[in-house]
Amino acid sequence: PSVDLMVQCLIDALAEPVMAGTRVFVGTMEGYVYALRLGAAPGASGPLLWNFRAQGAVNTSVAVAAGRVYFGSNGGVLYALSAETGEMLWQRAVAPLVPGARKFFSTVLVAGDRLYVDAANRRIYCLDANDGALRWESAVSDWVRARPVLTQGRHHPEIQGDLLRTQYPLRHLVQLVRHPRGGHRARG
């Protein structure tokens, strides 16, 4: 079998792999993040560049930006690794944990020097991408399962339930309220 097929069989991944240049990064249900080299030449050291063991399963895709790999684990820890070496640059634990959550964190959204991530503990987090410092967190009424998005510099998580409160990067507190005729409107 080909090297690609052997790697596929050895990695039990729930998350989609992420390609950056000639590398592929993927998290696994066993709590590893792997960096693999595409097109490894015969006789080379193989496709595995490095691996990192996290606290808990890594069931969402990693985010790769500015030479770093960002992701969260089901152990309630967010990480930044060097994309080149796999060295841990920082980690940030959050609480409370949600036992049995298949995906504790969403995929991290990187926007400049900020990271946005939604969590099963009914919180949305904004961290400093350089050192993992918590910039803000906001409680919401339900699990937020989808990757956050940015539009015109504002953070928008997936809407869950009838009321969602979130804090935008510009420190404006906004409430998204379900409109009686459907959809949502911002108030704040």
Side-chain angles (χ1 to χ4, degrees), residues 17-177:
V18 173
M19 192 179 322
T22 60
R23 295 175 182 216
V24 174
F25 301 91
V26 64
T28 70
M29 294 174 66
E30 290 79 22
Y32 285 94
V33 172
Y34 291 97
L36 306 170
R37 178 180 345 165
L38 294 175
S45 60
L48 180 64
L49 295 169
W50 54 260
N51 66 61
F52 176 85
R53 174 76 175 177
Q55 288 181 251
V58 180
N59 288 340
T60 55
S61 295
V62 302
V64 181
R68 294 180 174 198
V69 177
Y70 300 100
F71 64 95
S73 73
N74 279 9
V77 180
L78 292 158
Y79 297 91
L81 308 180
S82 163
E84 184 69 28
T85 66
E87 173 189 1
M88 184 173 63
L89 304 172
W90 56 258
Q91 65 180 350
R92 159 79 52 192
V94 301
L97 290 178
V98 178
R102 187 172 174 109
K103 293 184 177 184
F104 186 80
F105 290 108
S106 68
T107 298
V108 174
L109 171 68
V110 182
D113 66 347
R114 294 181 184 207
L115 306 177
Y116 299 91
V117 65
D118 303 328
N121 66 358
R122 300 179 178 184
R123 287 180 172 70
I124 300 166
Y125 297 94
C126 177
L127 304 175
D128 186 291
N130 297 309
D131 61 10
L134 182 65
R135 291 207 178 188
W136 55 261
E137 72 178 89
S138 184
V140 294
S141 62
D142 197 359
W143 287 20
V144 185
R145 297 169 181 92
R147 179 181 185 205
V149 296
L150 280 179
T151 57
Q152 297 180 357
R154 293 188 172 190
H155 166 249
H156 301 280
E158 175 183 296
I159 297 169
Q160 298 274 333
D162 291 334
L163 176 67
L164 176 64
R165 293 173 8 122
T166 184
Q167 192 168 5
Y168 289 158
L170 299 175
R171 298 272 190 207
H172 297 295
L173 187 62
V174 174
Q175 293 179 335
L176 296 176
V177 181

